[in-house]
Amino acid sequence: MKNKSLVIFLLFVVCFYSLNGLEVSALPASSIYDGVCTITSATDDTREIRGEDMDGDGDVDVVVGNNGVNKVYLNQGGGDCITWVECLITNDNYNTSSLVIEDMDLDGDLDVVTSNSGSPNVVYLNNGLSGGCISWTPVHITEDVNTSEGLALGDFDDDGYMDVAIANYNQRNRIYLSNYDGTNFNWVSYPITDQIFSNYLYRCWRHRW
């Protein structure tokens, strides 16, 4: 963190649909500061949240998956409370159930992979900063439209690139092989089994095979 006075800094991010927006609780062991700082006053319906250095500046940023437009909050550092820049991950308005952060095209930037309910699942390729926010290229993981409730990544075919496993509600769970050729993704879809599950496999989180 840029604030060197907070030697041991536990960051708890609480997301909920209320007028309080997203908040960060800063609880250093030294008790230098103990308070709640607002990331944003936006009242998004947030379903998933991750912390990663998305812009490569050494600070941990916050990525949120919403029932609506997904966003990245870029960490600008600061004193007791961090300053944030709110950036949209394109204007896609989807019901995102889960997201994972990974360098999918191996260009050195962290990309965002989302599972969506009622819309195609998407990889957002990070093109670096442009005008103070990150520029993104959306890539649909095929045009399948399912009630997707979770995802996990793994190099299932050992080609050096991450593939995507999707958990669907009341539909077959599927693996999508990325078949990335250095320029384009050429997705191939396979059902994991022929069974159809009516229970939620809710959140695979960031599991790696």
Side-chain angles (χ1 to χ4, degrees):
M1 308 293 295
K2 289 182 177 178
N3 186 353
K4 301 299 183 181
S5 67
L6 301 182
V7 179
I8 301 176
F9 190 97
L10 302 179
L11 180 66
F12 296 97
V13 180
V14 180
C15 64
F16 53 93
Y17 189 45
S18 74
L19 295 177
N20 295 321
L22 287 171
E23 297 178 343
V24 172
S25 295
L27 304 175
S30 62
S31 297
I32 296 172
Y33 174 73
D34 186 350
V36 176
C37 303
T38 299
I39 297 177
T40 175
S41 59
T43 55
D44 294 322
D45 185 2
T46 297
R47 305 300 179 86
E48 185 71 292
I49 194 162
R50 290 284 186 268
E52 294 283 357
D53 182 8
M54 300 303 295
D55 56 3
D57 67 352
D59 293 323
V60 177
D61 308 305
V62 174
V63 184
V64 295
N66 295 318
N67 181 6
V69 178
N70 298 326
K71 298 177 181 179
V72 176
Y73 296 91
L74 298 178
N75 182 340
Q76 306 300 299
D80 289 334
C81 281
I82 297 167
T83 300
W84 303 89
V85 173
E86 179 181 292
C87 301
L88 305 184
I89 303 178
T90 78
N91 290 312
D92 289 347
N93 192 330
Y94 296 151
N95 183 0
T96 295
S97 57
S98 183
L99 64 82
V100 177
I101 310 298
E102 183 61 69
D103 185 3
M104 296 295 290
D105 54 2
L106 301 184
D107 67 348
D109 293 323
L110 290 175
D111 309 307
V112 177
V113 187
T114 65
S115 65
N116 300 308
S117 180
S119 301
N121 301 314
V122 184
V123 175
Y124 295 95
L125 298 178
N126 182 339
N127 300 314
L129 288 173
S130 176
C133 282
I134 296 171
S135 171
W136 303 92
T137 298
V139 178
H140 285 194
I141 305 174
T142 78
E143 296 301 322
D144 292 350
V145 175
N146 297 310
T147 306
S148 298
E149 291 297 330
L151 68 93
L153 302 181
D155 184 7
F156 300 112
D157 54 1
D158 294 321
D159 67 349
Y161 293 98
M162 283 293 152
D163 308 303
V164 182
I166 298 289
N168 295 313
Y169 173 74
N170 210 26
Q171 292 149 323
R172 289 180 177 87
N173 300 320
R174 306 188 73 86
I175 287 178
Y176 297 88
L177 301 180
S178 62
N179 291 322
Y180 187 66
D181 61 13
T183 303
N184 298 304
F185 291 93
N186 302 285
W187 300 96
V188 177
S189 171
Y190 297 97
I192 296 176
T193 71
D194 287 330
Q195 293 176 292
I196 296 177
F197 297 95
S198 59
N199 61 312
Y200 285 97
L201 176 53
Y202 192 72
R203 303 291 187 268
C204 293
W205 293 97
R206 191 179 180 179
H207 186 72
R208 298 281 294 275
W209 279 271

